[in-house]
Amino acid sequence: MQVSRLSFEGFRNLKPGCFEPHPGVNVIVGENAQGKTNLLEAIWLFTGTKSFRSAKDSELVAFDCDQSRLEMNFEAGGRDQQAEITIQNRRVATLNGIKQSSAAKLAGVFCGIVFSPVHLSLIKGGPAERRRLIDAAYCQLRPTYVKTLSEYARILAQRNALCKAQDTGEAAAEMMDLWDRQLAQAGCRILHARQRYVQRMATVARKIYQGLSSGKEAFDLRYVSTVNILPEETPAEMAAKLYEELRLHRRADFSAGFTTVGPHRDDMEVYINGISARSFGSQGQQRSAVLAIKLAEAALLEEVTGEKPIALLDDVMSELDHSRQEYILNHIKDWQVFITCCDPEPLKALKDGQKIYVKSGELSTK
Ligand SMILES: Nc1ncnc2c1ncn2[C@@H]1O[C@H](COP(=O)(O)OP(=O)(O)OP(=O)(O)O)[C@@H](O)[C@H]1O
Ligand SMILES: [Mg+2]
């Protein structure tokens, strides 16, 4: 995966222009509020996903324009491709001259990962953020997983409704048993997928973190389930355990008014030197941990698709010491990388690649 050219018009504060990235590291430098993140955001939209910081597509359109136009030439699947995105109220995409039914159709054609300071909530925030990360990453690897998630959510909503109704009749008890069986069947596939994905992610992230910390700190990830599952168990074994837990919790769930056990209550714990990164990690350690997780996500994507995803790293350098910055600039060689930063000082360590300066939405290489 490689971006060879990107042009933009009417996008956020970026002045109409174009940009030909380096195949390796591209460092985007500029003071605050100049348009660095906007440039990353423009590239990110070609993954077919919505912006990593705006809920509404219409916010992407420059204040004084009625539409945005982005055009990208890139190499993927061993050939040169071209895509266009226009945004008015929503995103519309064209791929190799063919209009797509939705911009989401670009997913899987152009792929990448993004690190942004908002992702620090992966460590600091609640478990829902971490479950979302695992599920979203796994969906990129196995698109059918989306169906499993929605099936689970549908059955869970029905079971929750029954818990809330607090109906102690015989018919309700039979209904509950039915939901528990169905929930266990859908839930075990989630448990199995997440458990295995986190294990694989941990193996890769440990190595990346070791590089980042110059071998001084040990990193680990663990899937923490409300169901007492073991990594080597089969989906059928996990289903039996989940069913049993649901059954045992029926009374408590009636009192709570919702389902208190199952994959929707699980978490992923992040450890640095054997202790929780959330409770005890320093700012730099937490940032390094998120970066390691994101880069591991890219590595697993590459393993499965055979394509090297692009990496967009927004404001990753701040709070990191010199050796961690040097590692980011010079050791993430496999992928085309886009890194934004305000401070040009660490860039002295950049050995190969390109610097792009952004000022008031205008790009220059000098
Ligand atoms: N739709 C829009 N139209 C015009 N300008 C916009 C739009 N959306 C955001 N901006 C402006 O773009 C400017 C640059 O934003 P951006 O987030 O890219 O800055 P940055 O260079 O990444 O800064 P920082 O270093 O602080 O992260 C902001 O000042 C913002 O007001
Ligand atoms: Mg920014």
Side-chain angles (χ1 to χ4, degrees), residues 45-46 48-49 57-58 60-61 67-72 83-95 98-106:
L45 293 178
F46 285 89
T49 335
D57 288 344
S58 57
L60 304 166
V61 181
Q67 71 162 23
S68 304
R69 239 186 114 253
L70 304 170
E71 193 184 319
M72 182 188 274
E84 275 172 45
I85 296 177
T86 45
I87 313 160
Q88 279 181 315
N89 287 323
R90 57 181 201 93
R91 290 169 284 136
V92 179
T94 303
L95 178 63
I98 299 165
K99 192 167 177 216
Q100 306 292 300
S101 56
S102 85
K105 288 276 186 269
L106 295 177

Side-chain angles (χ1 to χ4, degrees), residues 10-14 28-41 53-54 58-65 117 314-315 340-342 358 361:
F11 187 81
R12 296 254 197 212
N13 81 327
L14 298 180
I28 301 156
V29 202
E31 291 175 1
N32 292 136
Q34 300 305 307
K36 303 180 300 295
T37 304
N38 293 345
L39 185 61
L40 289 196
E41 201 178 23
R53 62 173 180 171
S54 253
S58 57
E59 290 176 5
L60 304 166
V61 181
F63 298 142
D64 54 355
C65 295
D314 191 20
D315 201 10
T340 67
C341 63
C342 296
V358 187

Side-chain angles (χ1 to χ4, degrees), residues 288-309:
S288 306
V290 175
L291 182 62
I293 291 171
K294 287 283 170 181
L295 294 176
E297 193 184 317
L300 295 182
L301 203 59
E302 180 182 348
E303 226 177 84
V304 172
T305 62
E307 278 286 344
K308 294 183 188 303

